[in-house]
Amino acid sequence: MSTPVTRALRPLRLLLPFVAIGMALVLFLTIGFLAFSPNIGGGRQPSQWCDTGISTETSGRGGGGGTTIETLSEEQKRNASAIISVAKDMDLPPRAWMVALATAMQESTLKNLDYGDRDSLGLFQQRPSMGWGTPEQVTDPAYSSRIFYERLLEVPGWDSMPVTVAAQTVQRSAFPDAYAKWETLAASIVEQIGDVANPTGCEPGTTGALPPGAAGAAIGFALGELGKPYVWGATGPNAYDCSGLLMRAYEAAGMTIPRVSRDQYHSGGHLPVREVQPGDFLFYAHDPSDPSTIYHVTMYIGDDKMVEAPNKDHPVRVQPVPWDFGDLVPLATRPGTTNAAA
């Protein structure tokens, strides 16, 4: 027999299943968001940070720009020393030195130029008309270095950006990816002239973590290309093949990687596929034990998913990772890192 109280509670009892479903949906979406976020997902947390845009395995053999520390002139070495000296006076970490050195190599090849584009002058090609200082000031290595560092310190999160991204944020160059080719040389200068051991932060013989932001930038670029057609040999912007998509994705993140999938396999440190982090590369091969038979590459994006440019029948897309597929190469590649010790 119902009472006034039970009759009053009846509508609430009818709502309970809907409330439960709503709470379950919120929980499901929250877990899904956390798993998909590149810096959070899948329970796979990044290992200790190091600057994997620069391989410690090649640091000191020269940068992508074709210059080594051994081929620098006395003038270039003197200017590099001035840049480092100012940073030490300002108590800045070696990462700031690397940003400044890569910038100066791109802008002036470490020469204190009295000419440049429009009114650009000095090591950093700073423009008096844009508030960098007088012509006399911007051609003084100490002054130009100090104001560069001051502007760098104004950039939020500069110390967690890839070197090339931090440099571009200060310089606002028309060629934003140009600084990347000098990163290895900059690390070598910091190590040898600045007397800093392992300035990249990566332990030799280990596979480090990508700098915060690099993986996200690469993934963001690739996801922005979803739906574009597959064309063999294409590298964008209107179509891609598998390796062309990943090359452009990391180019957008300020890193230079090889063009071909088999070379991309050797472009960084290796780790078991079950330990991949967002931004790592997964490969398929006719013989998974033989990297020379690789025929496809994808990028892991978290949540057991990958982005790929698969074939002429499918455009750029996101798919679940086929962990049990027989052609999946057992080792993934973390681009830009050093190879693990044998």
Side-chain angles (χ1 to χ4, degrees), residues 119-139:
D119 61 334
S120 300
L121 298 167
L123 291 173
F124 297 92
Q125 288 291 281
Q126 294 157 338
R127 297 181 59 193
S129 64
M130 300 300 291
W132 286 92
T134 66
E136 292 75 19
Q137 287 175 322
V138 298
T139 51

Side-chain angles (χ1 to χ4, degrees), residues 83 155 193 266 274 333:
I83 291 171
V155 177
I193 296 180
H266 298 289
R274 287 294 183 172
T333 295

Side-chain angles (χ1 to χ4, degrees), residues 58-84:
T58 58
S59 171
R61 300 182 193 171
T67 301
T68 68
I69 191 168
E70 291 79 15
T71 62
L72 293 179
S73 68
E74 289 305 311
E75 175 193 5
Q76 289 172 305
K77 291 179 181 178
R78 191 165 54 249
N79 288 327
S81 296
I83 291 171
I84 292 172

Side-chain angles (χ1 to χ4, degrees), residues 176-312:
D177 299 323
Y179 305 103
K181 65 178 178 286
W182 302 114
E183 292 179 1
T184 300
L185 176 61
S188 180
I189 293 172
V190 169
E191 185 170 18
Q192 297 189 38
I193 296 180
D195 195 26
V196 174
N198 188 22
T200 65
C202 297
E203 292 300 324
T206 65
T207 301
L210 283 163
I219 292 170
F221 177 92
L223 295 180
E225 306 306 286
L226 292 177
K228 291 190 176 180
Y230 173 96
V231 174
W232 185 84
T235 59
N238 299 317
Y240 297 91
D241 67 7
C242 63
S243 56
L245 174 66
L246 303 197
M247 180 186 73
R248 294 302 183 202
Y250 267 93
E251 182 179 86
M255 292 173 58
T256 301
I257 64 170
R259 163 70 184 89
V260 181
S261 60
R262 293 174 188 178
D263 293 333
Q264 290 175 352
Y265 178 79
H266 298 289
S267 68
H270 294 143
L271 64 159
V273 293
R274 287 294 183 172
E275 297 177 13
V276 293
Q277 296 284 341
D280 292 346
F281 294 165
L282 300 169
F283 299 88
Y284 303 161
H286 298 295
D287 178 357
S289 67
D290 182 0
S292 70
T293 68
I294 287 172
Y295 63 83
H296 187 52
V297 59
T298 74
M299 180 161 58
Y300 184 68
I301 62 173
D303 194 29
D304 291 323
K305 293 182 175 65
M306 63 187 185
V307 60
E308 64 172 351
N311 54 55
K312 63 183 179 60

